[in-house]
Amino acid sequence: MIPLSGTTINVPGDNLTIQEAIDAASDGDTILIAPGTYAEALTINGKLLVLRGAGIGSTTIDGNGSHVIEIDHSSG
C-alpha cells in the first residue's frame, strides 16, 4: 500500500531527469513529469511511487530501444 502522504518532486524543476527523481524519492512520493520527451530507461527498485505525466501526447518516455520502466523488489 502506498503511504497517504509524501513529497511531490517535479521533473525537470527539482530533478533534471526522471531517474534522478526516482532515486531521490521515498515511499509515498509523487513524481510530476512536465510535458516533453524524456530519453530514459527507468528503474524503480523497492519504492512505492506515483509517476504522473502531463497527459497523453504531452509527456513521452522513450526508452531508446530498452524497457521504458523496470520495477524490481516492489511490494506495490
Side-chain angles (χ1 to χ4, degrees):
M1 176 183 266
I2 296 175
L4 295 177
S5 62
T7 301
T8 298
I9 301 171
N10 293 286
V11 175
D14 299 319
N15 292 97
L16 292 178
T17 69
I18 302 167
Q19 188 63 58
E20 287 175 2
I22 291 168
D23 293 344
S26 298
D27 284 347
D29 287 353
T30 297
I31 299 172
L32 297 179
I33 307 164
T37 298
Y38 298 83
E40 300 185 54
L42 308 174
T43 300
I44 301 172
N45 193 356
K47 295 183 181 182
L48 300 172
L49 305 173
V50 174
L51 276 70
R52 183 172 294 140
I56 295 173
S58 295
T59 303
T60 302
I61 302 171
D62 179 350
N64 289 323
S66 232
H67 294 291
V68 173
I69 300 176
E70 180 178 330
I71 302 172
D72 289 323
H73 302 98
S74 181
S75 62

